Amino acid sequence: MIAQTDPRQSKSSRVAAVSATEDYAASELPQSEQRSTLTITLVRMGYTVSATDLLFGMSLGLYFTFWTALAVALVSSILICLVSVLTGLIGQREGLNTTLITRLAFGREGSRLPSLVIAVINVGFAGYSTAITASVLPNLFPGDSQEAVWLFYIVVLSVLYTALSTLGFAKGLAWVGRVSVPVMLVVVLVAAVAAIGHAGGWSAILGAVPAQAGKMSIYTMVALGTAKWMQGATTPPDITRFAKNAGAVYITTFAEFIAGNFVFNLLGVVLGLAVGVSNLGTALGAVGVGALAAIAIFVQGFPHEVNSLYTGSLAGRNALSIPRLYVNVISGILVAMLAYHGLTQGILQSFLVYLGYLAYVMPLIPGIMIADYFLVHRGRYTRRVADAEAVNWRAVGAFTIGLAINLYLRLVVHDTFWYALPLIAFVLYLLFSSRQVRAAWSRGAVV
């Protein structure tokens, strides 16, 4: 006799599975879910202890001398730190992820726009990073074409990243960070020592002539470096909502963007100056650490891509109004497609072009979030997410006009710096909210 499956039980199981992966995507985080500063540090460093940071650092080493490249990396990291601390404090104080904060700032329906932007950008980063990982892995199928081998690796990696991201912060991101970040730090330091030896010593690195000197301006690369992690500076609330106090925000921000982003940029600079090529896998092989570096890039891919997919799924859930599980699956498919495209078109050039596009739109979101929370609402939201207005037209207007100004600055005026900062949207939102700001600060109350 064949056992019959109760449709109601099957439906109940599916609902339970979807609910288990939400990870407080649509509600305030309970205090019981808060985690230690160390755990949050490792998770946040998982974003920046990455192959994309090495790749950007390599590009600096291709265009600039050592000290100039170092200054570019440091300035962009400091700018990102300032934005990240402010957005991270909002998440820690309110117990809300980034998209729920945008729901309070932009309104329930208005927040779909910035949420979609955040989701798309995170999928882009995960896609390019997956491409970098696939490019350094060994060819296990010599009889097949290079493209077929890449496709195999991309599909396997995308499935693994998607599955781990689905598990959420405690079961997915935290454990991946604890294992991957320390391993990546040690192995890449070994690669940096090998690169210095390949170049003929530290003095040779300091005196090296960049392979593509003069082909990129300092301001442009500062803007690209800032744009590269403006996404990371916008979305700290996804992680800092798990923090127990404000001190954890400062500590983990420093770890993410100075100990993580800046140091990995520096290692990339050394590699770029030592080898003078734009392909990461070729560069690591040239200094004699190809196999070791392949392991490092493979290991680091897990925290970076898993974190990116996690943030993207939280944003996509708000933008599309579908469960986070479904958004994760869709994102994983898009990551695989983008990774394959990046590999076949040339990763470095495609990645730099992608960063340039980010700078038009991404800085607008934190500019509005910071202005709304700290100045319009004086550092505390009194309404809950469920009570958010449908559309805050002041925020939507600042976003739209800010985008038009950024496009004008870049395409007409040929600005290479200001368009990549949150300042324009910040000022626009305050101008549109002047009445609300005056009312809040004159009454001594939150509006």
PDB file of all heavy atoms in Angstrom, residues 137-161:
ATOM      1  N   LEU A 137      41.499  28.812 -10.003  1.00  0.00           N
ATOM      2  CA  LEU A 137      41.417  27.397  -9.660  1.00  0.00           C
ATOM      3  C   LEU A 137      42.052  26.551 -10.766  1.00  0.00           C
ATOM      4  O   LEU A 137      42.017  26.923 -11.941  1.00  0.00           O
ATOM      5  CB  LEU A 137      39.952  26.993  -9.451  1.00  0.00           C
ATOM      6  CG  LEU A 137      39.275  27.624  -8.219  1.00  0.00           C
ATOM      7  CD1 LEU A 137      37.813  27.221  -8.149  1.00  0.00           C
ATOM      8  CD2 LEU A 137      40.000  27.243  -6.937  1.00  0.00           C
ATOM      9  N   PRO A 138      42.634  25.406 -10.401  1.00  0.00           N
ATOM     10  CA  PRO A 138      43.352  24.586 -11.400  1.00  0.00           C
ATOM     11  C   PRO A 138      42.402  23.953 -12.407  1.00  0.00           C
ATOM     12  O   PRO A 138      41.227  23.710 -12.113  1.00  0.00           O
ATOM     13  CB  PRO A 138      44.032  23.520 -10.534  1.00  0.00           C
ATOM     14  CG  PRO A 138      43.183  23.424  -9.307  1.00  0.00           C
ATOM     15  CD  PRO A 138      42.695  24.826  -9.049  1.00  0.00           C
ATOM     16  N   ASN A 139      42.914  23.681 -13.593  1.00  0.00           N
ATOM     17  CA  ASN A 139      42.126  23.037 -14.641  1.00  0.00           C
ATOM     18  C   ASN A 139      42.107  21.527 -14.410  1.00  0.00           C
ATOM     19  O   ASN A 139      43.100  20.840 -14.665  1.00  0.00           O
ATOM     20  CB  ASN A 139      42.706  23.363 -16.017  1.00  0.00           C
ATOM     21  CG  ASN A 139      41.826  22.845 -17.148  1.00  0.00           C
ATOM     22  OD1 ASN A 139      40.859  22.126 -16.909  1.00  0.00           O
ATOM     23  ND2 ASN A 139      42.170  23.203 -18.366  1.00  0.00           N
ATOM     24  N   LEU A 140      40.985  21.020 -13.912  1.00  0.00           N
ATOM     25  CA  LEU A 140      40.866  19.594 -13.633  1.00  0.00           C
ATOM     26  C   LEU A 140      40.411  18.795 -14.853  1.00  0.00           C
ATOM     27  O   LEU A 140      40.353  17.572 -14.814  1.00  0.00           O
ATOM     28  CB  LEU A 140      39.867  19.376 -12.487  1.00  0.00           C
ATOM     29  CG  LEU A 140      40.212  20.034 -11.148  1.00  0.00           C
ATOM     30  CD1 LEU A 140      39.111  19.767 -10.129  1.00  0.00           C
ATOM     31  CD2 LEU A 140      41.553  19.531 -10.631  1.00  0.00           C
ATOM     32  N   PHE A 141      40.096  19.513 -15.926  1.00  0.00           N
ATOM     33  CA  PHE A 141      39.572  18.854 -17.128  1.00  0.00           C
ATOM     34  C   PHE A 141      40.368  19.326 -18.348  1.00  0.00           C
ATOM     35  O   PHE A 141      39.871  20.116 -19.159  1.00  0.00           O
ATOM     36  CB  PHE A 141      38.087  19.173 -17.299  1.00  0.00           C
ATOM     37  CG  PHE A 141      37.288  19.021 -16.034  1.00  0.00           C
ATOM     38  CD1 PHE A 141      36.946  20.136 -15.264  1.00  0.00           C
ATOM     39  CD2 PHE A 141      36.898  17.770 -15.594  1.00  0.00           C
ATOM     40  CE1 PHE A 141      36.217  19.994 -14.100  1.00  0.00           C
ATOM     41  CE2 PHE A 141      36.172  17.614 -14.422  1.00  0.00           C
ATOM     42  CZ  PHE A 141      35.833  18.724 -13.666  1.00  0.00           C
ATOM     43  N   PRO A 142      41.599  18.855 -18.502  1.00  0.00           N
ATOM     44  CA  PRO A 142      42.483  19.353 -19.564  1.00  0.00           C
ATOM     45  C   PRO A 142      41.908  19.212 -20.970  1.00  0.00           C
ATOM     46  O   PRO A 142      42.241  19.970 -21.863  1.00  0.00           O
ATOM     47  CB  PRO A 142      43.746  18.489 -19.411  1.00  0.00           C
ATOM     48  CG  PRO A 142      43.678  17.939 -18.033  1.00  0.00           C
ATOM     49  CD  PRO A 142      42.247  17.828 -17.680  1.00  0.00           C
ATOM     50  N   GLY A 143      41.050  18.224 -21.173  1.00  0.00           N
ATOM     51  CA  GLY A 143      40.499  18.023 -22.508  1.00  0.00           C
ATOM     52  C   GLY A 143      39.423  19.015 -22.889  1.00  0.00           C
ATOM     53  O   GLY A 143      39.081  19.150 -24.063  1.00  0.00           O
ATOM     54  N   ASP A 144      38.881  19.718 -21.904  1.00  0.00           N
ATOM     55  CA  ASP A 144      37.792  20.666 -22.179  1.00  0.00           C
ATOM     56  C   ASP A 144      38.349  22.062 -22.432  1.00  0.00           C
ATOM     57  O   ASP A 144      39.478  22.385 -22.062  1.00  0.00           O
ATOM     58  CB  ASP A 144      36.817  20.713 -20.997  1.00  0.00           C
ATOM     59  CG  ASP A 144      36.056  19.406 -20.828  1.00  0.00           C
ATOM     60  OD1 ASP A 144      35.932  18.678 -21.839  1.00  0.00           O
ATOM     61  OD2 ASP A 144      35.597  19.123 -19.713  1.00  0.00           O
ATOM     62  N   SER A 145      37.517  22.896 -23.039  1.00  0.00           N
ATOM     63  CA  SER A 145      37.911  24.282 -23.275  1.00  0.00           C
ATOM     64  C   SER A 145      37.979  25.041 -21.960  1.00  0.00           C
ATOM     65  O   SER A 145      37.365  24.635 -20.964  1.00  0.00           O
ATOM     66  CB  SER A 145      36.908  24.966 -24.203  1.00  0.00           C
ATOM     67  OG  SER A 145      35.648  25.087 -23.555  1.00  0.00           O
ATOM     68  N   GLN A 146      38.720  26.149 -21.944  1.00  0.00           N
ATOM     69  CA  GLN A 146      38.840  26.968 -20.734  1.00  0.00           C
ATOM     70  C   GLN A 146      37.473  27.466 -20.291  1.00  0.00           C
ATOM     71  O   GLN A 146      37.166  27.504 -19.092  1.00  0.00           O
ATOM     72  CB  GLN A 146      39.766  28.146 -21.005  1.00  0.00           C
ATOM     73  CG  GLN A 146      39.987  29.037 -19.788  1.00  0.00           C
ATOM     74  CD  GLN A 146      40.707  28.329 -18.663  1.00  0.00           C
ATOM     75  OE1 GLN A 146      41.893  28.051 -18.757  1.00  0.00           O
ATOM     76  NE2 GLN A 146      40.010  28.013 -17.590  1.00  0.00           N
ATOM     77  N   GLU A 147      36.639  27.844 -21.250  1.00  0.00           N
ATOM     78  CA  GLU A 147      35.304  28.358 -20.911  1.00  0.00           C
ATOM     79  C   GLU A 147      34.456  27.297 -20.208  1.00  0.00           C
ATOM     80  O   GLU A 147      33.712  27.597 -19.280  1.00  0.00           O
ATOM     81  CB  GLU A 147      34.586  28.850 -22.172  1.00  0.00           C
ATOM     82  CG  GLU A 147      35.117  30.153 -22.732  1.00  0.00           C
ATOM     83  CD  GLU A 147      36.398  29.960 -23.511  1.00  0.00           C
ATOM     84  OE1 GLU A 147      36.789  28.793 -23.755  1.00  0.00           O
ATOM     85  OE2 GLU A 147      37.023  30.979 -23.882  1.00  0.00           O
ATOM     86  N   ALA A 148      34.581  26.038 -20.645  1.00  0.00           N
ATOM     87  CA  ALA A 148      33.813  24.958 -20.024  1.00  0.00           C
ATOM     88  C   ALA A 148      34.263  24.724 -18.587  1.00  0.00           C
ATOM     89  O   ALA A 148      33.436  24.476 -17.691  1.00  0.00           O
ATOM     90  CB  ALA A 148      33.961  23.678 -20.844  1.00  0.00           C
ATOM     91  N   VAL A 149      35.571  24.786 -18.367  1.00  0.00           N
ATOM     92  CA  VAL A 149      36.106  24.620 -17.008  1.00  0.00           C
ATOM     93  C   VAL A 149      35.617  25.752 -16.112  1.00  0.00           C
ATOM     94  O   VAL A 149      35.186  25.533 -14.973  1.00  0.00           O
ATOM     95  CB  VAL A 149      37.648  24.579 -17.037  1.00  0.00           C
ATOM     96  CG1 VAL A 149      38.213  24.542 -15.617  1.00  0.00           C
ATOM     97  CG2 VAL A 149      38.125  23.378 -17.828  1.00  0.00           C
ATOM     98  N   TRP A 150      35.685  26.982 -16.614  1.00  0.00           N
ATOM     99  CA  TRP A 150      35.191  28.123 -15.848  1.00  0.00           C
ATOM    100  C   TRP A 150      33.720  27.938 -15.487  1.00  0.00           C
ATOM    101  O   TRP A 150      33.307  28.192 -14.355  1.00  0.00           O
ATOM    102  CB  TRP A 150      35.357  29.408 -16.667  1.00  0.00           C
ATOM    103  CG  TRP A 150      36.749  29.935 -16.693  1.00  0.00           C
ATOM    104  CD1 TRP A 150      37.769  29.654 -15.827  1.00  0.00           C
ATOM    105  CD2 TRP A 150      37.282  30.856 -17.662  1.00  0.00           C
ATOM    106  NE1 TRP A 150      38.901  30.342 -16.177  1.00  0.00           N
ATOM    107  CE2 TRP A 150      38.636  31.087 -17.294  1.00  0.00           C
ATOM    108  CE3 TRP A 150      36.763  31.502 -18.770  1.00  0.00           C
ATOM    109  CZ2 TRP A 150      39.463  31.940 -18.017  1.00  0.00           C
ATOM    110  CZ3 TRP A 150      37.587  32.351 -19.496  1.00  0.00           C
ATOM    111  CH2 TRP A 150      38.923  32.566 -19.125  1.00  0.00           C
ATOM    112  N   LEU A 151      32.934  27.519 -16.452  1.00  0.00           N
ATOM    113  CA  LEU A 151      31.496  27.349 -16.226  1.00  0.00           C
ATOM    114  C   LEU A 151      31.236  26.318 -15.131  1.00  0.00           C
ATOM    115  O   LEU A 151      30.366  26.512 -14.273  1.00  0.00           O
ATOM    116  CB  LEU A 151      30.810  26.933 -17.524  1.00  0.00           C
ATOM    117  CG  LEU A 151      29.278  26.799 -17.456  1.00  0.00           C
ATOM    118  CD1 LEU A 151      28.644  28.137 -17.062  1.00  0.00           C
ATOM    119  CD2 LEU A 151      28.724  26.324 -18.796  1.00  0.00           C
ATOM    120  N   PHE A 152      31.995  25.225 -15.138  1.00  0.00           N
ATOM    121  CA  PHE A 152      31.844  24.190 -14.108  1.00  0.00           C
ATOM    122  C   PHE A 152      32.093  24.775 -12.722  1.00  0.00           C
ATOM    123  O   PHE A 152      31.288  24.610 -11.792  1.00  0.00           O
ATOM    124  CB  PHE A 152      32.808  23.036 -14.368  1.00  0.00           C
ATOM    125  CG  PHE A 152      32.902  22.064 -13.225  1.00  0.00           C
ATOM    126  CD1 PHE A 152      31.903  21.112 -13.015  1.00  0.00           C
ATOM    127  CD2 PHE A 152      33.978  22.098 -12.338  1.00  0.00           C
ATOM    128  CE1 PHE A 152      31.974  20.220 -11.942  1.00  0.00           C
ATOM    129  CE2 PHE A 152      34.063  21.220 -11.275  1.00  0.00           C
ATOM    130  CZ  PHE A 152      33.054  20.268 -11.080  1.00  0.00           C
ATOM    131  N   TYR A 153      33.222  25.479 -12.574  1.00  0.00           N
ATOM    132  CA  TYR A 153      33.558  26.065 -11.281  1.00  0.00           C
ATOM    133  C   TYR A 153      32.505  27.097 -10.853  1.00  0.00           C
ATOM    134  O   TYR A 153      32.120  27.159  -9.678  1.00  0.00           O
ATOM    135  CB  TYR A 153      34.927  26.738 -11.340  1.00  0.00           C
ATOM    136  CG  TYR A 153      36.086  25.778 -11.209  1.00  0.00           C
ATOM    137  CD1 TYR A 153      37.140  25.818 -12.112  1.00  0.00           C
ATOM    138  CD2 TYR A 153      36.136  24.851 -10.168  1.00  0.00           C
ATOM    139  CE1 TYR A 153      38.219  24.952 -11.990  1.00  0.00           C
ATOM    140  CE2 TYR A 153      37.206  23.982 -10.045  1.00  0.00           C
ATOM    141  CZ  TYR A 153      38.241  24.035 -10.960  1.00  0.00           C
ATOM    142  OH  TYR A 153      39.303  23.175 -10.822  1.00  0.00           O
ATOM    143  N   ILE A 154      32.068  27.909 -11.782  1.00  0.00           N
ATOM    144  CA  ILE A 154      31.110  28.968 -11.465  1.00  0.00           C
ATOM    145  C   ILE A 154      29.805  28.379 -10.947  1.00  0.00           C
ATOM    146  O   ILE A 154      29.236  28.858  -9.959  1.00  0.00           O
ATOM    147  CB  ILE A 154      30.865  29.849 -12.704  1.00  0.00           C
ATOM    148  CG1 ILE A 154      32.072  30.751 -12.955  1.00  0.00           C
ATOM    149  CG2 ILE A 154      29.604  30.693 -12.546  1.00  0.00           C
ATOM    150  CD1 ILE A 154      32.047  31.443 -14.303  1.00  0.00           C
ATOM    151  N   VAL A 155      29.322  27.330 -11.594  1.00  0.00           N
ATOM    152  CA  VAL A 155      28.057  26.714 -11.172  1.00  0.00           C
ATOM    153  C   VAL A 155      28.202  26.118  -9.773  1.00  0.00           C
ATOM    154  O   VAL A 155      27.343  26.321  -8.899  1.00  0.00           O
ATOM    155  CB  VAL A 155      27.621  25.639 -12.180  1.00  0.00           C
ATOM    156  CG1 VAL A 155      26.450  24.832 -11.624  1.00  0.00           C
ATOM    157  CG2 VAL A 155      27.231  26.287 -13.507  1.00  0.00           C
ATOM    158  N   VAL A 156      29.282  25.381  -9.535  1.00  0.00           N
ATOM    159  CA  VAL A 156      29.496  24.754  -8.215  1.00  0.00           C
ATOM    160  C   VAL A 156      29.603  25.814  -7.123  1.00  0.00           C
ATOM    161  O   VAL A 156      28.966  25.711  -6.065  1.00  0.00           O
ATOM    162  CB  VAL A 156      30.756  23.869  -8.236  1.00  0.00           C
ATOM    163  CG1 VAL A 156      31.092  23.385  -6.820  1.00  0.00           C
ATOM    164  CG2 VAL A 156      30.548  22.676  -9.154  1.00  0.00           C
ATOM    165  N   LEU A 157      30.413  26.837  -7.377  1.00  0.00           N
ATOM    166  CA  LEU A 157      30.600  27.889  -6.374  1.00  0.00           C
ATOM    167  C   LEU A 157      29.300  28.639  -6.102  1.00  0.00           C
ATOM    168  O   LEU A 157      28.967  28.914  -4.942  1.00  0.00           O
ATOM    169  CB  LEU A 157      31.673  28.869  -6.847  1.00  0.00           C
ATOM    170  CG  LEU A 157      33.109  28.335  -6.879  1.00  0.00           C
ATOM    171  CD1 LEU A 157      34.030  29.345  -7.565  1.00  0.00           C
ATOM    172  CD2 LEU A 157      33.613  28.026  -5.473  1.00  0.00           C
ATOM    173  N   SER A 158      28.561  28.969  -7.135  1.00  0.00           N
ATOM    174  CA  SER A 158      27.310  29.715  -6.960  1.00  0.00           C
ATOM    175  C   SER A 158      26.314  28.934  -6.119  1.00  0.00           C
ATOM    176  O   SER A 158      25.623  29.500  -5.271  1.00  0.00           O
ATOM    177  CB  SER A 158      26.700  30.053  -8.325  1.00  0.00           C
ATOM    178  OG  SER A 158      27.556  30.867  -9.081  1.00  0.00           O
ATOM    179  N   VAL A 159      26.247  27.626  -6.332  1.00  0.00           N
ATOM    180  CA  VAL A 159      25.335  26.782  -5.545  1.00  0.00           C
ATOM    181  C   VAL A 159      25.750  26.782  -4.071  1.00  0.00           C
ATOM    182  O   VAL A 159      24.916  26.921  -3.168  1.00  0.00           O
ATOM    183  CB  VAL A 159      25.306  25.341  -6.101  1.00  0.00           C
ATOM    184  CG1 VAL A 159      24.575  24.410  -5.137  1.00  0.00           C
ATOM    185  CG2 VAL A 159      24.634  25.322  -7.468  1.00  0.00           C
ATOM    186  N   LEU A 160      27.059  26.641  -3.813  1.00  0.00           N
ATOM    187  CA  LEU A 160      27.546  26.622  -2.429  1.00  0.00           C
ATOM    188  C   LEU A 160      27.297  27.960  -1.737  1.00  0.00           C
ATOM    189  O   LEU A 160      26.820  28.005  -0.588  1.00  0.00           O
ATOM    190  CB  LEU A 160      29.041  26.299  -2.407  1.00  0.00           C
ATOM    191  CG  LEU A 160      29.441  24.868  -2.759  1.00  0.00           C
ATOM    192  CD1 LEU A 160      30.953  24.738  -2.859  1.00  0.00           C
ATOM    193  CD2 LEU A 160      28.897  23.892  -1.710  1.00  0.00           C
ATOM    194  N   TYR A 161      27.614  29.071  -2.420  1.00  0.00           N
ATOM    195  CA  TYR A 161      27.422  30.388  -1.832  1.00  0.00           C
ATOM    196  C   TYR A 161      25.947  30.639  -1.517  1.00  0.00           C
ATOM    197  O   TYR A 161      25.604  31.183  -0.462  1.00  0.00           O
ATOM    198  CB  TYR A 161      27.921  31.484  -2.783  1.00  0.00           C
ATOM    199  CG  TYR A 161      29.390  31.440  -3.097  1.00  0.00           C
ATOM    200  CD1 TYR A 161      29.865  31.940  -4.306  1.00  0.00           C
ATOM    201  CD2 TYR A 161      30.320  30.893  -2.211  1.00  0.00           C
ATOM    202  CE1 TYR A 161      31.222  31.920  -4.614  1.00  0.00           C
ATOM    203  CE2 TYR A 161      31.667  30.852  -2.517  1.00  0.00           C
ATOM    204  CZ  TYR A 161      32.111  31.368  -3.717  1.00  0.00           C
ATOM    205  OH  TYR A 161      33.448  31.334  -4.018  1.00  0.00           O
TER     206      TYR A 161
END
